[in-house]
Short mmCIF file of all heavy atoms in Angstrom, two decimals:
data_model
loop_
_atom_site.label_atom_id
_atom_site.label_comp_id
_atom_site.label_asym_id
_atom_site.label_seq_id
_atom_site.Cartn_x
_atom_site.Cartn_y
_atom_site.Cartn_z
N MET A 1 65.81 99.82 62.78
CA MET A 1 67.21 99.54 62.86
C MET A 1 67.93 100.39 61.82
O MET A 1 67.46 100.55 60.71
CB MET A 1 67.49 98.08 62.61
CG MET A 1 67.07 97.15 63.72
SD MET A 1 67.46 95.46 63.31
CE MET A 1 69.05 95.31 64.08
N ALA A 2 69.10 100.81 62.17
CA ALA A 2 69.89 101.57 61.24
C ALA A 2 70.65 100.62 60.31
O ALA A 2 71.09 99.57 60.74
CB ALA A 2 70.90 102.44 62.00
N SER A 3 70.72 101.05 59.09
CA SER A 3 71.44 100.17 58.14
C SER A 3 72.91 100.49 58.21
O SER A 3 73.31 101.62 58.48
CB SER A 3 70.89 100.41 56.72
OG SER A 3 71.25 101.67 56.29
N GLU A 4 73.70 99.48 57.94
CA GLU A 4 75.14 99.65 57.92
C GLU A 4 75.63 99.30 56.53
O GLU A 4 75.53 98.16 56.11
CB GLU A 4 75.81 98.81 58.95
CG GLU A 4 75.50 99.18 60.36
CD GLU A 4 76.14 98.28 61.39
OE1 GLU A 4 77.09 97.56 61.03
OE2 GLU A 4 75.73 98.31 62.56
N GLY A 5 76.09 100.23 55.82
CA GLY A 5 76.58 99.97 54.47
C GLY A 5 77.01 101.28 53.82
O GLY A 5 77.12 102.29 54.47
N PRO A 6 77.14 101.24 52.52
CA PRO A 6 77.59 102.44 51.80
C PRO A 6 76.67 103.63 51.97
O PRO A 6 77.11 104.76 51.98
CB PRO A 6 77.68 101.99 50.36
CG PRO A 6 77.59 100.53 50.36
CD PRO A 6 76.97 100.13 51.64
N GLY A 7 75.40 103.38 52.12
CA GLY A 7 74.45 104.50 52.23
C GLY A 7 74.18 104.89 53.66
O GLY A 7 73.38 105.81 53.86
N ALA A 8 74.79 104.28 54.62
CA ALA A 8 74.52 104.58 56.03
C ALA A 8 75.10 105.94 56.39
O ALA A 8 76.14 106.34 55.88
CB ALA A 8 75.13 103.52 56.92
N LYS A 9 74.41 106.63 57.26
CA LYS A 9 74.86 107.92 57.70
C LYS A 9 76.01 107.77 58.68
O LYS A 9 75.93 107.05 59.66
CB LYS A 9 73.71 108.66 58.38
CG LYS A 9 73.99 110.11 58.71
CD LYS A 9 72.79 110.81 59.23
CE LYS A 9 73.12 112.26 59.49
NZ LYS A 9 71.96 112.99 59.99
N ALA A 10 77.10 108.47 58.43
CA ALA A 10 78.29 108.37 59.29
C ALA A 10 78.14 109.28 60.46
O ALA A 10 77.59 110.38 60.38
CB ALA A 10 79.54 108.79 58.47
N THR A 11 78.62 108.81 61.62
CA THR A 11 78.63 109.63 62.81
C THR A 11 80.09 109.90 63.16
O THR A 11 80.94 109.05 63.03
CB THR A 11 77.90 108.94 63.98
OG1 THR A 11 78.54 107.71 64.22
CG2 THR A 11 76.43 108.74 63.69
N LYS A 12 80.32 111.15 63.65
CA LYS A 12 81.69 111.52 64.05
C LYS A 12 81.87 111.21 65.50
O LYS A 12 81.02 111.43 66.32
CB LYS A 12 81.83 113.02 63.82
CG LYS A 12 82.96 113.41 62.97
CD LYS A 12 83.05 114.92 62.89
CE LYS A 12 84.09 115.27 61.86
NZ LYS A 12 84.30 116.69 61.78
N THR A 13 83.04 110.67 65.82
CA THR A 13 83.38 110.38 67.20
C THR A 13 84.72 111.07 67.48
O THR A 13 85.69 110.86 66.74
CB THR A 13 83.54 108.87 67.42
OG1 THR A 13 82.31 108.22 67.04
CG2 THR A 13 83.85 108.53 68.86
N ASN A 14 84.75 111.85 68.53
CA ASN A 14 85.97 112.50 68.94
C ASN A 14 86.66 111.62 69.98
O ASN A 14 86.02 111.19 70.94
CB ASN A 14 85.68 113.87 69.54
CG ASN A 14 85.22 114.84 68.50
OD1 ASN A 14 85.66 114.77 67.33
ND2 ASN A 14 84.36 115.77 68.85
N VAL A 15 87.93 111.38 69.78
CA VAL A 15 88.69 110.57 70.72
C VAL A 15 89.81 111.46 71.23
O VAL A 15 90.59 112.03 70.46
CB VAL A 15 89.27 109.32 70.04
CG1 VAL A 15 90.16 108.55 70.98
CG2 VAL A 15 88.15 108.45 69.49
N ASN A 16 89.92 111.50 72.54
CA ASN A 16 91.00 112.28 73.14
C ASN A 16 92.23 111.37 73.21
O ASN A 16 92.33 110.49 74.04
CB ASN A 16 90.60 112.72 74.55
CG ASN A 16 91.61 113.65 75.18
OD1 ASN A 16 92.75 113.64 74.80
ND2 ASN A 16 91.20 114.39 76.19
N LEU A 17 93.15 111.61 72.29
CA LEU A 17 94.31 110.71 72.17
C LEU A 17 95.25 110.88 73.36
O LEU A 17 95.95 109.94 73.74
CB LEU A 17 95.08 111.04 70.89
CG LEU A 17 94.32 110.68 69.60
CD1 LEU A 17 95.13 111.03 68.40
CD2 LEU A 17 93.90 109.22 69.57
N SER A 18 95.26 112.06 74.02
CA SER A 18 96.09 112.25 75.19
C SER A 18 95.61 111.33 76.31
O SER A 18 96.41 110.66 76.98
CB SER A 18 96.01 113.70 75.63
OG SER A 18 96.76 113.90 76.82
N THR A 19 94.32 111.24 76.50
CA THR A 19 93.74 110.36 77.54
C THR A 19 94.00 108.91 77.20
O THR A 19 94.38 108.10 78.04
CB THR A 19 92.23 110.59 77.69
OG1 THR A 19 92.02 111.99 78.00
CG2 THR A 19 91.64 109.74 78.80
N ALA A 20 93.85 108.55 75.96
CA ALA A 20 94.11 107.18 75.53
C ALA A 20 95.57 106.81 75.76
O ALA A 20 95.89 105.71 76.21
CB ALA A 20 93.74 107.01 74.07
N ASP A 21 96.46 107.75 75.44
CA ASP A 21 97.91 107.49 75.66
C ASP A 21 98.21 107.34 77.15
O ASP A 21 98.96 106.43 77.53
CB ASP A 21 98.70 108.69 75.09
CG ASP A 21 100.19 108.40 75.07
OD1 ASP A 21 100.61 107.27 74.70
OD2 ASP A 21 100.95 109.30 75.42
N LEU A 22 97.65 108.17 78.00
CA LEU A 22 97.84 108.05 79.44
C LEU A 22 97.30 106.73 79.98
O LEU A 22 97.92 106.08 80.79
CB LEU A 22 97.22 109.22 80.18
CG LEU A 22 97.91 110.57 80.04
CD1 LEU A 22 97.06 111.67 80.67
CD2 LEU A 22 99.28 110.53 80.59
N THR A 23 96.14 106.33 79.46
CA THR A 23 95.54 105.08 79.87
C THR A 23 96.44 103.91 79.50
O THR A 23 96.66 103.00 80.27
CB THR A 23 94.14 104.90 79.24
OG1 THR A 23 93.34 106.03 79.60
CG2 THR A 23 93.47 103.63 79.68
N LEU A 24 96.97 103.94 78.27
CA LEU A 24 97.85 102.89 77.83
C LEU A 24 99.13 102.85 78.66
O LEU A 24 99.61 101.81 79.09
CB LEU A 24 98.19 103.08 76.35
CG LEU A 24 99.07 101.96 75.73
CD1 LEU A 24 98.42 100.60 75.84
CD2 LEU A 24 99.35 102.33 74.28
N ASP A 25 99.71 104.04 78.94
CA ASP A 25 100.89 104.10 79.79
C ASP A 25 100.64 103.53 81.17
O ASP A 25 101.46 102.80 81.71
CB ASP A 25 101.37 105.55 79.92
CG ASP A 25 102.06 106.07 78.68
OD1 ASP A 25 102.38 105.26 77.78
OD2 ASP A 25 102.24 107.30 78.56
N HIS A 26 99.46 103.85 81.73
CA HIS A 26 99.13 103.32 83.03
C HIS A 26 98.98 101.82 83.03
O HIS A 26 99.50 101.12 83.91
CB HIS A 26 97.83 103.98 83.53
CG HIS A 26 97.37 103.47 84.86
ND1 HIS A 26 98.01 103.81 86.05
CD2 HIS A 26 96.35 102.66 85.21
CE1 HIS A 26 97.41 103.19 87.04
NE2 HIS A 26 96.39 102.49 86.56
N TYR A 27 98.32 101.31 81.99
CA TYR A 27 98.14 99.85 81.83
C TYR A 27 99.48 99.14 81.75
O TYR A 27 99.75 98.13 82.43
CB TYR A 27 97.32 99.54 80.60
CG TYR A 27 97.25 98.07 80.27
CD1 TYR A 27 96.40 97.23 80.98
CD2 TYR A 27 98.05 97.53 79.29
CE1 TYR A 27 96.35 95.89 80.73
CE2 TYR A 27 98.03 96.15 79.01
CZ TYR A 27 97.18 95.34 79.71
OH TYR A 27 97.13 94.03 79.45
N VAL A 28 100.41 99.69 80.96
CA VAL A 28 101.74 99.09 80.80
C VAL A 28 102.48 99.12 82.14
O VAL A 28 103.11 98.16 82.55
CB VAL A 28 102.53 99.77 79.69
CG1 VAL A 28 103.98 99.33 79.70
CG2 VAL A 28 101.89 99.52 78.34
N ALA A 29 102.39 100.24 82.82
CA ALA A 29 103.11 100.39 84.11
C ALA A 29 102.57 99.38 85.13
O ALA A 29 103.35 98.72 85.83
CB ALA A 29 102.95 101.81 84.65
N VAL A 30 101.25 99.24 85.21
CA VAL A 30 100.67 98.31 86.19
C VAL A 30 101.02 96.88 85.82
O VAL A 30 101.35 96.08 86.67
CB VAL A 30 99.13 98.51 86.25
CG1 VAL A 30 98.46 97.38 86.98
CG2 VAL A 30 98.81 99.84 86.89
N THR A 31 100.95 96.55 84.54
CA THR A 31 101.25 95.20 84.10
C THR A 31 102.72 94.87 84.35
O THR A 31 103.05 93.82 84.86
CB THR A 31 100.96 95.05 82.59
OG1 THR A 31 99.57 95.36 82.38
CG2 THR A 31 101.22 93.65 82.13
N THR A 32 103.60 95.82 84.04
CA THR A 32 105.03 95.60 84.24
C THR A 32 105.32 95.44 85.75
O THR A 32 106.09 94.57 86.14
CB THR A 32 105.86 96.77 83.67
OG1 THR A 32 105.51 96.88 82.29
CG2 THR A 32 107.30 96.56 83.82
N GLU A 33 104.70 96.29 86.56
CA GLU A 33 104.92 96.18 88.02
C GLU A 33 104.47 94.81 88.53
O GLU A 33 105.10 94.19 89.34
CB GLU A 33 104.22 97.31 88.75
CG GLU A 33 104.44 97.27 90.25
CD GLU A 33 105.89 97.38 90.68
OE1 GLU A 33 106.66 98.05 90.00
OE2 GLU A 33 106.25 96.78 91.70
N GLY A 34 103.32 94.34 88.01
CA GLY A 34 102.81 93.04 88.41
C GLY A 34 103.78 91.95 88.05
O GLY A 34 104.03 91.03 88.80
N GLU A 35 104.36 92.02 86.82
CA GLU A 35 105.31 91.02 86.41
C GLU A 35 106.58 91.09 87.27
O GLU A 35 107.15 90.09 87.63
CB GLU A 35 105.64 91.22 84.93
CG GLU A 35 104.49 90.89 83.99
CD GLU A 35 104.76 91.26 82.57
OE1 GLU A 35 105.82 91.83 82.28
OE2 GLU A 35 103.89 90.96 81.72
N SER A 36 107.00 92.32 87.57
CA SER A 36 108.16 92.50 88.41
C SER A 36 107.94 91.88 89.79
O SER A 36 108.85 91.24 90.33
CB SER A 36 108.53 93.99 88.57
OG SER A 36 108.87 94.52 87.33
N ALA A 37 106.75 92.09 90.32
CA ALA A 37 106.45 91.55 91.65
C ALA A 37 106.48 90.03 91.60
O ALA A 37 106.99 89.36 92.51
CB ALA A 37 105.07 92.04 92.13
N GLY A 38 105.99 89.47 90.53
CA GLY A 38 106.01 88.01 90.38
C GLY A 38 107.43 87.46 90.32
O GLY A 38 107.73 86.45 90.92
N VAL A 39 108.27 88.14 89.58
CA VAL A 39 109.69 87.72 89.47
C VAL A 39 110.36 87.88 90.81
O VAL A 39 111.09 86.99 91.24
CB VAL A 39 110.42 88.58 88.39
CG1 VAL A 39 111.92 88.33 88.45
CG2 VAL A 39 109.87 88.20 87.03
N LYS A 40 110.11 88.98 91.50
CA LYS A 40 110.69 89.21 92.83
C LYS A 40 110.29 88.07 93.81
O LYS A 40 111.10 87.59 94.58
CB LYS A 40 110.28 90.54 93.40
CG LYS A 40 110.93 91.71 92.75
CD LYS A 40 110.43 93.04 93.32
CE LYS A 40 110.91 94.23 92.52
NZ LYS A 40 110.32 95.48 93.04
N GLN A 41 109.04 87.68 93.73
CA GLN A 41 108.54 86.62 94.61
C GLN A 41 109.21 85.31 94.29
O GLN A 41 109.62 84.57 95.19
CB GLN A 41 107.06 86.46 94.50
CG GLN A 41 106.45 85.44 95.44
CD GLN A 41 104.95 85.33 95.35
OE1 GLN A 41 104.32 86.01 94.57
NE2 GLN A 41 104.37 84.46 96.11
N LEU A 42 109.38 84.99 93.01
CA LEU A 42 110.08 83.74 92.63
C LEU A 42 111.53 83.74 93.09
O LEU A 42 112.01 82.75 93.60
CB LEU A 42 110.01 83.59 91.11
CG LEU A 42 108.67 83.19 90.51
CD1 LEU A 42 108.78 83.21 88.98
CD2 LEU A 42 108.23 81.84 91.02
N VAL A 43 112.21 84.88 92.90
CA VAL A 43 113.62 84.99 93.33
C VAL A 43 113.70 84.85 94.85
O VAL A 43 114.58 84.15 95.35
CB VAL A 43 114.22 86.31 92.85
CG1 VAL A 43 115.56 86.55 93.48
CG2 VAL A 43 114.32 86.30 91.32
N ALA A 44 112.77 85.51 95.58
CA ALA A 44 112.80 85.45 97.03
C ALA A 44 112.58 84.03 97.51
O ALA A 44 113.25 83.55 98.43
CB ALA A 44 111.75 86.39 97.62
N GLU A 45 111.61 83.34 96.90
CA GLU A 45 111.34 81.95 97.31
C GLU A 45 112.55 81.05 97.04
O GLU A 45 112.93 80.23 97.90
CB GLU A 45 110.11 81.42 96.56
CG GLU A 45 108.80 82.04 97.04
CD GLU A 45 107.62 81.63 96.18
OE1 GLU A 45 107.79 80.81 95.25
OE2 GLU A 45 106.51 82.12 96.46
N ASP A 46 113.17 81.23 95.89
CA ASP A 46 114.37 80.45 95.56
C ASP A 46 115.49 80.75 96.52
O ASP A 46 116.20 79.83 97.00
CB ASP A 46 114.81 80.75 94.12
CG ASP A 46 115.99 79.88 93.67
OD1 ASP A 46 115.89 78.64 93.82
OD2 ASP A 46 116.99 80.44 93.16
N PHE A 47 115.69 82.01 96.84
CA PHE A 47 116.73 82.43 97.78
C PHE A 47 116.47 81.82 99.16
O PHE A 47 117.38 81.30 99.79
CB PHE A 47 116.78 83.97 97.85
CG PHE A 47 117.80 84.49 98.81
CD1 PHE A 47 119.14 84.49 98.48
CD2 PHE A 47 117.43 85.00 100.05
CE1 PHE A 47 120.11 84.94 99.35
CE2 PHE A 47 118.38 85.48 100.93
CZ PHE A 47 119.71 85.49 100.55
N ASN A 48 115.21 81.89 99.60
CA ASN A 48 114.87 81.31 100.93
C ASN A 48 115.12 79.80 100.95
O ASN A 48 115.59 79.27 101.96
CB ASN A 48 113.44 81.63 101.30
CG ASN A 48 113.22 83.06 101.66
OD1 ASN A 48 114.16 83.72 102.11
ND2 ASN A 48 112.01 83.57 101.51
N GLN A 49 114.83 79.12 99.87
CA GLN A 49 115.05 77.68 99.82
C GLN A 49 116.56 77.38 99.92
O GLN A 49 116.97 76.45 100.61
CB GLN A 49 114.46 77.09 98.54
CG GLN A 49 112.97 77.01 98.55
CD GLN A 49 112.43 76.50 97.23
OE1 GLN A 49 113.14 76.31 96.26
NE2 GLN A 49 111.11 76.30 97.20
N LYS A 50 117.37 78.20 99.24
CA LYS A 50 118.82 77.97 99.27
C LYS A 50 119.34 78.25 100.68
O LYS A 50 120.22 77.54 101.18
CB LYS A 50 119.51 78.85 98.24
CG LYS A 50 119.27 78.38 96.83
CD LYS A 50 119.93 79.25 95.79
CE LYS A 50 119.64 78.73 94.40
NZ LYS A 50 120.19 79.57 93.35
N ILE A 51 118.88 79.28 101.31
CA ILE A 51 119.28 79.63 102.67
C ILE A 51 118.93 78.48 103.64
O ILE A 51 119.72 78.06 104.47
CB ILE A 51 118.65 80.94 103.16
CG1 ILE A 51 119.20 82.12 102.38
CG2 ILE A 51 118.89 81.17 104.66
CD1 ILE A 51 120.69 82.30 102.54
N GLN A 52 117.71 77.93 103.50
CA GLN A 52 117.26 76.86 104.37
C GLN A 52 118.12 75.62 104.13
O GLN A 52 118.45 74.90 105.09
CB GLN A 52 115.77 76.56 104.12
CG GLN A 52 114.86 77.63 104.67
CD GLN A 52 113.41 77.42 104.31
OE1 GLN A 52 113.06 76.46 103.62
NE2 GLN A 52 112.55 78.32 104.80
N ALA A 53 118.44 75.35 102.89
CA ALA A 53 119.29 74.19 102.58
C ALA A 53 120.67 74.36 103.16
O ALA A 53 121.26 73.43 103.76
CB ALA A 53 119.37 73.96 101.08
N THR A 54 121.21 75.56 103.08
CA THR A 54 122.53 75.86 103.62
C THR A 54 122.50 75.71 105.13
O THR A 54 123.41 75.11 105.75
CB THR A 54 122.99 77.28 103.26
OG1 THR A 54 123.04 77.37 101.83
CG2 THR A 54 124.36 77.61 103.83
N ASN A 55 121.47 76.23 105.76
CA ASN A 55 121.34 76.10 107.23
C ASN A 55 121.21 74.66 107.64
O ASN A 55 121.77 74.26 108.68
CB ASN A 55 120.11 76.91 107.73
CG ASN A 55 120.35 78.38 107.66
OD1 ASN A 55 121.50 78.85 107.59
ND2 ASN A 55 119.27 79.16 107.71
N ALA A 56 120.55 73.82 106.88
CA ALA A 56 120.42 72.39 107.19
C ALA A 56 121.80 71.71 107.13
O ALA A 56 122.14 70.91 107.98
CB ALA A 56 119.44 71.74 106.21
N VAL A 57 122.60 72.10 106.12
CA VAL A 57 123.94 71.51 106.04
C VAL A 57 124.78 71.96 107.19
O VAL A 57 125.53 71.14 107.78
CB VAL A 57 124.58 71.92 104.66
CG1 VAL A 57 126.06 71.54 104.63
CG2 VAL A 57 123.84 71.25 103.50
N ILE A 58 124.75 73.23 107.50
CA ILE A 58 125.53 73.72 108.65
C ILE A 58 125.10 73.03 109.94
O ILE A 58 125.96 72.63 110.75
CB ILE A 58 125.36 75.27 108.78
CG1 ILE A 58 126.04 75.95 107.59
CG2 ILE A 58 125.93 75.80 110.09
CD1 ILE A 58 125.75 77.42 107.47
N TYR A 59 123.82 72.81 110.11
CA TYR A 59 123.33 72.11 111.30
C TYR A 59 123.88 70.71 111.36
O TYR A 59 124.33 70.22 112.39
CB TYR A 59 121.80 72.13 111.29
CG TYR A 59 121.18 71.36 112.44
CD1 TYR A 59 121.08 71.93 113.71
CD2 TYR A 59 120.73 70.06 112.28
CE1 TYR A 59 120.54 71.24 114.76
CE2 TYR A 59 120.17 69.36 113.34
CZ TYR A 59 120.09 69.95 114.58
OH TYR A 59 119.55 69.24 115.65
N GLN A 60 123.85 70.00 110.21
CA GLN A 60 124.34 68.66 110.16
C GLN A 60 125.81 68.61 110.53
O GLN A 60 126.27 67.70 111.23
CB GLN A 60 124.15 68.03 108.76
CG GLN A 60 122.73 67.67 108.45
CD GLN A 60 122.59 67.07 107.07
OE1 GLN A 60 123.45 67.21 106.24
NE2 GLN A 60 121.44 66.43 106.84
N VAL A 61 126.59 69.52 110.04
CA VAL A 61 128.06 69.50 110.27
C VAL A 61 128.35 69.91 111.71
O VAL A 61 129.10 69.23 112.40
CB VAL A 61 128.75 70.44 109.27
CG1 VAL A 61 130.22 70.63 109.65
CG2 VAL A 61 128.61 69.89 107.86
N ARG A 62 127.75 70.98 112.17
CA ARG A 62 128.10 71.53 113.50
C ARG A 62 127.47 70.74 114.64
O ARG A 62 128.12 70.43 115.64
CB ARG A 62 127.69 72.99 113.60
CG ARG A 62 128.55 73.89 112.76
CD ARG A 62 128.25 75.33 113.06
NE ARG A 62 129.07 76.22 112.25
CZ ARG A 62 128.83 77.47 112.05
NH1 ARG A 62 127.80 78.04 112.61
NH2 ARG A 62 129.64 78.21 111.31
N VAL A 63 126.21 70.45 114.53
CA VAL A 63 125.48 69.86 115.66
C VAL A 63 125.55 68.33 115.61
O VAL A 63 125.82 67.70 116.65
CB VAL A 63 124.00 70.32 115.65
CG1 VAL A 63 123.20 69.66 116.73
CG2 VAL A 63 123.94 71.86 115.80
N LEU A 64 125.34 67.77 114.43
CA LEU A 64 125.28 66.31 114.36
C LEU A 64 126.66 65.72 114.07
O LEU A 64 126.85 64.50 114.19
CB LEU A 64 124.30 65.90 113.26
CG LEU A 64 122.85 66.37 113.49
CD1 LEU A 64 122.01 65.93 112.31
CD2 LEU A 64 122.29 65.84 114.79
N GLY A 65 127.59 66.53 113.66
CA GLY A 65 128.94 66.03 113.34
C GLY A 65 128.97 65.18 112.07
O GLY A 65 129.84 64.34 111.92
N ASN A 66 127.98 65.36 111.22
CA ASN A 66 127.91 64.57 110.00
C ASN A 66 128.69 65.24 108.91
O ASN A 66 128.27 66.25 108.34
CB ASN A 66 126.42 64.42 109.59
CG ASN A 66 126.22 63.49 108.42
OD1 ASN A 66 127.20 62.99 107.86
ND2 ASN A 66 124.99 63.32 108.01
N CYS A 67 129.82 64.68 108.56
CA CYS A 67 130.68 65.31 107.56
C CYS A 67 130.63 64.57 106.23
O CYS A 67 131.43 64.76 105.37
CB CYS A 67 132.12 65.38 108.04
SG CYS A 67 132.32 66.47 109.45
N SER A 68 129.71 63.63 106.11
CA SER A 68 129.63 62.83 104.87
C SER A 68 128.65 63.51 103.92
O SER A 68 127.61 62.96 103.58
CB SER A 68 129.16 61.42 105.16
OG SER A 68 127.88 61.46 105.79
N LEU A 69 129.02 64.68 103.43
CA LEU A 69 128.13 65.42 102.52
C LEU A 69 128.61 65.23 101.10
O LEU A 69 129.61 65.36 100.69
CB LEU A 69 128.08 66.89 102.89
CG LEU A 69 127.54 67.14 104.28
CD1 LEU A 69 127.64 68.63 104.62
CD2 LEU A 69 126.09 66.72 104.37
#
């Protein structure tokens, strides 16, 4: 086993910062798009519920003649 401490031999590691930066940018873009999609879905569901509620009221007034809203 290699020892880890002050006397341990250091190894050099080259890191391509350009690739790391692109990877991070991609991760942020994908995460943000996922969050945006989630928000869009919530807004769409809320909008659909409001439309259905409005249609129900219109049906009650026009078809059933129920004006006690």
